[in-house]
Amino acid sequence: MSSTASGHGPFDLTGRVALITGGSRGIGRAMAVALASAGASIAAMARTATDLDDLVAEIGPNHAIAIAGDVNKREDNERAVTETVARFGHLDIYVPVAGTNRRKKLLDITDEDYDVIVGTNLRAVYAGCQAAVRAMIPAHGGAREVSGKVITVGSLASVQGVAPGMTAYAASKGGVALLTKALAVELAPHNIQANCIAPGFILTDLNRAFLSAEPRKSWVLGRIPAGRFGAPVDVAPTAIYLAGGASDFVTGQVIAVDGGFLSGSDWNQGQ
Ligand code: NAP
């Protein structure tokens, strides 16, 4: 592991700086808290300032800043990187988590729906990575002493169609997975690793109502070998692993955190 030169352990993020989009709620917030608990300083970006302020209060203002912005605006992504480096001196870990979905079947989805879903979930990841990676590479002024990390967030829909009404979302999340693999290849010479976490069914604001309705709830639970939905805290520790020296020889991977969903089929039906 090349990035333990500081003498800290492979899961210790002391001195490292992470920028997390969508860090104010759900999976992104749990990742922000987890990375902070491992020692990282956190810059969290989202549109709603009050949610960000809550996060900064939880982590503590010495180790967290709030950046109000929209990932769909290139200038906001660039400002987020600038503010992060201005506050903490450098950027080591970029975690674009912000995402959205509108479940509509192909014949109902509008161009505006498609643009919002693919824009937020995929185009913004690409634009955000451009801004963040530029700041990580010394030739572009980056000041990184440890391995750099890009941790994207895919989905079950990065690898399968999952259910009706997912065409635009699956297009975006499949794109995120392969964007990550291509980044891994391109950034390896810079000692930057890029990996994608693919959460399964995690209860958050994004899907709580959708997953609570029967018979859907029972259908989904019957296909999760763990027998339950996940929580954001189930996903967050994988981000600690992918953010630190522990994963310096791991790159280009899509890691499912899904209670076994992708490994099974009608799991409970065979009991
Ligand atoms: P969530 O609870 O709805 O949180 C979404 C976060 O993204 C919020 O902080 C939100 O803050 C921010 N956000 C949304 N649009 C934004 C924009 N245009 N600019 C800046 N920030 C924006 O969602 P979640 O369930 O945690 O999902 C997080 C990620 O995990 C998404 O990429 C999602 O696709 C993925 N995922 C979720 C699940 C699941 O089961 N929940 C499964 C697989 C993948 P503001 O609204 O204030 O901007």
Side-chain angles (χ1 to χ4, degrees):
M1 288 170 284
S2 59
S3 57
T4 54
S6 62
H8 299 298
F11 298 100
D12 186 349
L13 303 180
T14 303
R16 300 189 192 211
V17 178
L19 170 56
I20 305 175
T21 76
S24 62
R25 290 189 283 114
I27 292 168
R29 183 182 179 116
M31 286 181 174
V33 171
L35 296 182
S37 75
S41 295
I42 304 296
M45 178 184 181
R47 294 165 299 183
T48 310
T50 48
D51 292 339
L52 291 168
D53 292 342
D54 287 347
L55 176 77
V56 171
E58 181 175 347
I59 295 174
N62 288 339
H63 292 288
I65 57 168
I67 300 169
D70 185 339
V71 295
N72 285 302
K73 296 178 180 167
R74 175 172 285 278
E75 63 271 24
D76 285 7
N77 289 306
E78 290 174 354
R79 177 173 53 81
V81 171
T82 303
E83 289 185 13
T84 303
V85 173
R87 173 66 175 81
F88 295 119
H90 53 110
L91 174 62
D92 308 300
I93 305 157
Y94 183 57
V95 195
V97 187
T100 193
N101 196 9
R102 297 176 182 181
R103 292 178 186 81
K104 291 185 181 178
K105 293 185 181 172
L106 179 70
L107 300 187
D108 299 323
I109 197 163
T110 66
D111 286 351
E112 193 263 341
D113 292 327
Y114 182 92
D115 288 345
V116 168
I117 296 167
V118 179
T120 306
N121 296 357
L122 179 58
R123 191 179 193 284
V125 174
Y126 139 83
C129 282
Q130 280 188 321
V133 167
R134 188 175 289 118
M136 289 184 189
I137 294 178
H140 293 283
R144 195 166 43 79
E145 295 174 357
V146 294
S147 50
K149 305 286 183 177
V150 176
I151 306 169
T152 61
V153 176
S155 162
L156 302 173
S158 291
V159 292
Q160 64 166 238
V162 187
M166 297 283 275
T167 51
Y169 188 79
S172 71
K173 291 298 187 177
V176 166
L178 278 179
L179 169 63
T180 308
K181 287 177 179 285
L183 272 179
V185 173
E186 188 171 314
L187 298 180
H190 298 289
N191 192 22
I192 299 172
Q193 292 81 49
N195 292 287
C196 176
I197 298 175
F201 291 94
I202 312 298
L203 281 181
T204 68
D205 295 346
L206 190 63
N207 60 14
R208 189 171 286 105
F210 180 77
L211 290 177
S212 298
E214 293 289 4
R216 186 181 297 117
K217 178 180 177 183
S218 297
W219 185 93
V220 174
L221 285 174
R223 285 158 181 79
I224 302 174
R228 65 174 176 88
F229 295 124
V233 292
D234 289 314
V235 181
T238 303
I240 297 177
Y241 166 64
L242 293 176
S247 59
D248 279 356
F249 203 54
V250 178
T251 197
Q253 298 305 301
V254 178
I255 300 175
V257 182
D258 68 348
F261 182 94
L262 288 174
S263 301
S265 174
D266 288 347
W267 189 85
N268 285 335
Q269 306 303 316
Q271 299 308 297

